[in-house]
Amino acid sequence: MIISNLDQMRKFANEFSKQLKKGDVVNLIGDLGAGKTTLVKMIAQNFNIDKVVSPTFSIVNIYDGDVKIYHLDLYRLDDEDEILDIDYETYIYPDDEITFIEWSDKAKSYMPLDMINLTINKIDENKREIILD
């Protein structure tokens, strides 16, 4: 799917959020600046969560709304075993929450096999290709 502007991204986020259920883990794949956190913000709004910020420095952000959302950014991990420093099982194997993970490849051996993979490829300043698998 090709997204040409923020309105189209919001429409995708609205439709995608309707398909999410508690316990889902979404693996967000894409380069820096591709729009991963922007997409999480748009999805979170559908669960009555207004304030979403990048967890790059905190590694994990937790948002409370109609459903609790965990948002992880593993970009700063130098070794995948550093994930052991956080309560990773709670976040990447959620029960009643939904988890979004950016840069999951930094701790690949700890990731669940049944993640929803969502890739955002930046085509140009406004245009993105979204691939779900």
Side-chain angles (χ1 to χ4, degrees):
M1 164 183 291
I2 302 296
I3 303 291
S4 298
N5 55 51
L6 286 175
D7 287 336
Q8 289 178 353
M9 179 71 87
R10 191 169 289 104
K11 183 177 179 181
F12 171 79
N14 293 345
E15 292 302 314
F16 184 63
S17 66
K18 291 175 188 174
Q19 298 174 31
L20 292 173
K21 60 187 182 311
K22 293 178 179 179
D24 280 344
V25 178
V26 180
N27 179 26
L28 298 168
I29 304 162
D31 292 333
L32 288 171
K36 299 180 296 291
T37 298
T38 298
L39 180 61
V40 173
K41 286 178 187 181
M42 291 176 176
I43 291 170
Q45 289 173 343
N46 291 292
F47 296 106
N48 290 313
I49 299 168
D50 293 324
K51 186 167 172 86
V52 172
V53 295
S54 176
T56 300
F57 295 102
S58 61
I59 299 180
V60 178
N61 287 344
I62 300 170
Y63 310 115
D64 287 307
D66 295 340
V67 65
K68 185 176 282 190
I69 290 179
Y70 299 137
H71 185 194
L72 286 73
D73 185 331
L74 306 180
Y75 183 78
R76 293 182 37 231
L77 297 185
D78 292 321
D79 180 277
E80 74 172 354
D81 289 337
E82 288 179 42
I83 199 166
L84 299 173
D85 294 337
I86 65 171
D87 188 16
Y88 81 95
E89 289 179 331
T90 296
Y91 306 126
I92 63 175
Y93 298 99
D95 292 319
D96 293 324
E97 304 81 18
I98 298 171
T99 298
F100 294 91
I101 305 175
E102 300 183 32
W103 304 99
S104 69
D105 59 320
K106 296 281 198 159
K108 190 173 188 170
S109 63
Y110 293 95
M111 295 297 121
L113 298 176
D114 61 347
M115 291 189 298
I116 299 165
N117 293 306
L118 193 155
T119 302
I120 304 174
N121 293 316
K122 185 175 180 178
I123 297 171
D124 63 29
E125 190 60 35
N126 298 309
K127 196 178 287 188
R128 304 291 188 269
E129 175 188 38
I130 296 182
I131 302 168
L132 265 173
D133 67 290

